[in-house]
Amino acid sequence: MRGPDLARAALQAAREQSAAKRKQRGSKPQGKVRTRRRRGWSAAGPDDRDPQPLGKLASRIAKDRGWTENLTGGQVFAKWGALVGEEVAEHTKPVALKDGELTVQAESTAWATQLRLLQRQILKRIADGVGRDVVKRIKVQGPAAPSWRYGPRHVPGRGPRDTYG
């Protein structure tokens, strides 16, 4: 047997198996068979089925998925003005937080020096405001000069300027 004949034979065998199973079951009612389920009522106390506050659900999701470190790091960026003071925040901005090292960029070299001098006080304020061990070190950068390097890898040489003679 080939092609359509083989398919017809397989369909006929499946129909015969189904008919045999129906005969074994006997005369049961067709359709869904309903079983009676006793309903469980919640007591007067709190239960998992009760509506939950949104903040509690969000914190549980963040904890389950391992987002708490990123969220606490995000609080440093969001509360930067309150953590370091408005005057310092006007002249500096946090750039990155990775492995407990906060990279901060200052708008001038004078503010970069000032930030290095205030480093211990800023670390203490961040620990009090956000939590301990969120920021362990502060790396201060001066003003950013334009760079010809793009991306993490580069080839040594003069780069795009080598065509000028």
Side-chain angles (χ1 to χ4, degrees):
M1 281 193 270
R2 291 186 174 180
D5 295 329
L6 184 62
R8 282 189 196 102
L11 179 63
Q12 184 63 31
R15 285 181 178 164
E16 288 172 4
Q17 283 179 351
S18 177
K21 285 183 182 178
R22 272 184 285 196
K23 283 184 180 179
Q24 286 177 353
R25 282 192 227 148
S27 59
K28 287 190 177 180
Q30 295 293 329
K32 288 187 176 180
V33 178
R34 286 191 166 190
T35 58
R36 199 169 168 151
R37 190 179 130 220
R38 186 174 174 175
R39 183 174 178 151
W41 299 96
S42 65
D47 192 9
D48 289 340
R49 296 173 287 176
D50 292 340
Q52 301 291 318
L54 185 61
K56 188 175 182 180
L57 288 174
S59 65
R60 186 183 321 153
I61 289 170
K63 184 179 178 185
D64 291 346
R65 297 188 181 189
W67 296 343
T68 52
E69 184 177 328
N70 291 338
L71 291 174
T72 53
Q75 288 181 1
V76 173
F77 290 86
K79 298 178 180 180
W80 182 249
L83 292 172
V84 297
E86 291 302 322
E87 185 179 2
V88 175
E90 279 182 35
H91 302 285
T92 61
K93 67 176 181 177
V95 178
L97 176 62
K98 187 173 182 180
D99 298 328
E101 181 177 74
L102 178 67
T103 305
V104 179
Q105 185 173 14
E107 71 177 22
S108 68
T109 54
W111 273 104
T113 304
Q114 185 68 22
L115 207 60
R116 287 184 188 103
L117 293 173
L118 294 173
Q119 190 169 0
R120 288 183 188 229
Q121 289 90 346
I122 291 172
L123 283 171
K124 185 179 182 315
R125 284 180 165 183
I126 291 173
D128 292 342
V130 178
R132 299 195 72 203
D133 295 331
V134 175
V135 177
K136 298 171 187 165
R137 294 175 305 283
I138 295 179
K139 179 181 174 185
V140 180
Q141 295 178 341
S147 173
W148 290 97
R149 288 174 66 172
Y150 296 104
R153 297 177 186 87
H154 72 284
V155 177
R158 288 180 47 93
R161 295 176 297 280
D162 66 351
T163 58
Y164 300 135

